[in-house]
Amino acid sequence: MDGKLLERIREAGQEQVLRFYDELPEESRRAFEIQLAEVNWEALPELARDYVLNRPETAIPEDLAPAEFFPLEPQNENMRALYAQADLKGAELLRNGKVCCLTVAGGQGTRLGFDGPKGTYPIGPVSGKTLFEYFAGSIIRTQEKYQTRMLWFIMTSPINRQATEEYFSNNNYLGLQPEQVFFFTQGTMPAFGRNGKLLLGAKDSLSLSPDGHGGTLLALRRSGALAKMAESGCEYISYFQVDNPLVPVADPRFIGLHALENSEMSAIMLSKTNAKEKLGNFCVSNGKVQIIEYSDLPDELAERRNPDGTLAFIAGSPAIHVISRTFVEKLTAGNTLRLPWHRADKKISALDDKGRVCVPDTPNGVKLESFIFDALPLAAKVMILEGDRKEVFAPTKNATGVDSAESCRQMISERNARRLKAAGVALPLHPDGSVDAVIELDPRRVLDDADALELVNKTGLKAILPGEAVVL
Ligand code: UTP
């Protein structure tokens, strides 16, 4: 082994990673050394001390206050005029090819427990269309509407890159041109045991996991995605997660306001349904917008009320952003970016001293991840716009229960029912007022209420039958 590398590993106090090195065949040794050479050994002792051996405490600034946001409905004439201008601006930017989509799909989706990239999960309540098909359909409809062509950047991890690409090539790029879909791979971080020592995933490999969605920014630069954006004239990145099929892939008002407000990074906020709802909280401290995770916001602040009884810290984050390309360029100039790390205690399969793979029943180690929202305080200007939860947010985190595939399908059907009702279609109702049907509208045809109305007019649809499962 290269003497310098060995020295760095020793100095970091991590020589246990080499305990099977001598028994490895030559080829595995070489591959392992390449992997080891990429680790920032000098940073490890501090990371182990601050995040693994000790639990990092999120300092809550004294001056922490709720962040301001643009409300869903404009509140006065000026705001009405601004929103109208934003709608036009956003539409113009879309028409001129200034907007691209970015889906982060490098997560491991452990809670959903699905074998395969999460984007290939069948979420359509009737059709079984996958999450990726939902986004592709919405992109296709957006292109038609604005007579444009959008690039779609998809971030994978090294673990799911191949399976994701194969899915697209085996499925005709879901109706898009292969040249407009750009895959890139995020970075990884080695996992720690509770004692601060790195874990081995195999005799010739560390236990590596994706470095969090905060890894997106640097990965955009390192992969050439940023350069590709610049080359194609794309200035605004519409960012969303792979687990939310309701997300508008490119919302003209949101994009337009971002541009008109000269924002570098913008965010959609949702009004929290209760003080402890599991959403990050938009806050401001020292003039900078930041997100405080729900688990870190002290009860006193979470429960604080305005004189009218509404929550003071009402703004929750569904992780929907518009990011200026130039902001990412600025942040990652020099090919580096340091965002804070967040600790996650996880069950991590790892080798024991005898070289056997152990699959633990309880968390045995620590993964470190960075989060995209930690870029907000680095932006010169942040714009936050309220979104309509039932229209834009249905996260698929778990297999059943809250934020599950089940609840997501239900929300897709409910949103479609609302759209059909607004277009004059009679809906069958259960005694409790909920819709007695499962309704799916093809995202390639219906992006918004106007599309739903057009579809209803074209098909002459008058009513949905009780218990019906329909795809339109
Ligand atoms: P989550 O925080 O829900 O994590 O990711 P996850 O890995 O998908 O799911 P669990 O926690 O293992 O059940 C939110 C979004 O960020 C992406 C995910 O793919 C999802 O779109 N993500 C997360 C990445 O792209 N990379 C990461 O390293 C982590």
Side-chain angles (χ1 to χ4, degrees), residues 149-448:
R149 200 181 81 126
M150 291 177 84
L151 293 184
W152 185 13
F153 294 85
I154 298 174
M155 185 172 81
T156 68
S157 72
I159 303 160
N160 66 14
R161 167 83 187 242
Q162 193 185 344
T164 305
E165 281 202 70
E166 274 170 13
Y167 169 77
F168 274 80
S169 56
N170 292 340
N171 290 281
N172 202 19
Y173 287 81
L174 313 180
L176 293 159
Q177 298 299 315
E179 315 78 67
Q180 69 185 116
V181 186
F182 188 100
F183 301 94
F184 67 106
T185 305
Q186 68 177 107
T188 53
M189 267 300 273
F192 292 86
R194 284 261 166 80
N195 57 1
K197 302 287 179 190
L198 296 189
L199 297 173
L200 284 180
K203 289 184 176 177
D204 60 354
S205 176
L206 298 170
S207 170
L208 295 173
S209 48
D211 60 358
H213 40 65
T216 310
L217 299 165
L218 200 52
L220 278 173
R221 175 174 286 277
R222 291 191 170 162
S223 64
L226 259 190
K228 169 106 184 156
M229 286 174 187
E231 185 188 298
S232 63
C234 162
E235 287 173 24
Y236 302 101
I237 304 169
S238 177
Y239 169 104
F240 51 90
Q241 302 191 152
V242 75
D243 54 21
N244 178 19
L246 285 195
V247 75
V249 293
D251 174 11
R253 175 169 297 180
F254 185 32
I255 295 161
L257 266 183
H258 171 92
L260 292 178
E261 290 290 301
N262 292 315
S263 171
E264 286 192 315
M265 179 162 174
S266 295
I268 291 290
M269 77 68 121
L270 302 178
S271 291
K272 287 182 350 190
T273 50
N274 63 73
K276 299 301 277 181
E277 189 181 354
K278 293 184 174 177
L279 291 177
N281 295 275
F282 287 104
C283 302
V284 65
S285 164
N286 197 20
K288 291 284 176 194
V289 171
Q290 66 180 95
I291 285 193
I292 303 278
E293 286 189 89
Y294 64 91
S295 47
D296 291 329
L297 191 68
D299 286 353
E300 189 273 308
L301 296 181
E303 305 282 355
R304 188 180 288 174
R305 304 260 162 190
N306 297 315
D308 66 0
T310 53
L311 289 171
F313 288 85
I314 186 96
S317 172
I320 304 171
H321 299 286
V322 171
I323 309 172
S324 290
R325 187 198 80 231
T326 48
F327 177 53
V328 185
E329 283 171 351
K330 195 168 74 180
L331 281 184
T332 60
N335 218 10
T336 57
L337 172 66
R338 277 294 319 122
L339 292 177
W341 292 109
H342 296 258
R343 168 183 174 140
D345 290 74
K346 298 266 183 180
K347 291 183 254 180
I348 303 165
S349 303
L351 295 196
D352 65 10
D353 282 342
K354 304 232 156 42
R356 294 170 304 205
V357 179
C358 296
V359 185
D361 297 329
T362 51
N364 61 325
V366 171
K367 290 184 178 179
L368 297 182
E369 294 187 334
S370 66
F371 294 159
I372 189 93
F373 59 66
D374 282 322
L376 286 167
L378 307 176
K381 176 92 193 275
V382 170
M383 188 282 293
I384 304 174
L385 172 64
E386 183 173 14
D388 183 348
R389 176 189 296 253
K390 53 190 191 321
E391 296 293 321
V392 303
F393 189 52
T396 313
K397 299 287 183 194
N398 307 302
T400 54
V402 179
D403 293 344
S404 65
E406 220 169 33
S407 63
C408 179
R409 290 191 183 108
Q410 177 74 24
M411 290 176 78
I412 292 175
S413 179
E414 281 168 9
R415 180 176 81 173
N416 293 334
R418 275 193 303 280
R419 285 183 170 168
L420 290 188
K421 188 168 174 220
V425 176
L427 299 173
L429 298 181
H430 288 296
D432 67 359
S434 61
V435 176
D436 178 16
V438 185
I439 305 170
E440 201 171 340
L441 298 178
D442 186 340
R444 282 172 305 188
R445 301 167 81 176
V446 180
L447 197 60
D448 50 27

Side-chain angles (χ1 to χ4, degrees), residues 23-81:
E23 22 175 308
L24 294 176
E26 191 52 37
E27 215 169 284
S28 308
R29 282 187 186 185
R30 268 206 304 278
F32 193 21
E33 279 182 43
I34 291 172
Q35 186 191 81
L36 293 171
E38 283 185 10
V39 174
N40 183 354
W41 296 99
E42 290 68 27
L44 285 187
E46 204 175 306
L47 288 181
R49 186 194 65 210
D50 295 349
Y51 291 94
V52 185
L53 301 173
N54 296 295
R55 264 172 200 279
E57 295 238 331
T58 307
I60 301 296
E62 292 269 311
D63 67 340
L64 197 74
E68 288 184 3
F69 58 88
F70 284 104
L72 184 61
E73 298 299 339
Q75 307 284 298
N76 52 46
E77 265 320 306
N78 282 349
M79 217 182 265
R80 224 180 311 283

Side-chain angles (χ1 to χ4, degrees), residues 117-161:
K118 202 172 187 177
T120 65
Y121 184 83
I123 199 65
V126 183
S127 68
K129 266 187 203 310
T130 64
L131 286 158
F132 279 138
E133 283 181 289
Y134 262 78
F135 306 132
S138 300
I139 291 172
I140 289 170
R141 182 68 194 128
T142 304
Q143 295 188 143
E144 253 172 39
K145 241 185 159 108
Y146 297 97
Q147 292 295 296
T148 190
R149 200 181 81 126
M150 291 177 84
L151 293 184
W152 185 13
F153 294 85
I154 298 174
M155 185 172 81
T156 68
S157 72
I159 303 160
N160 66 14
R161 167 83 187 242

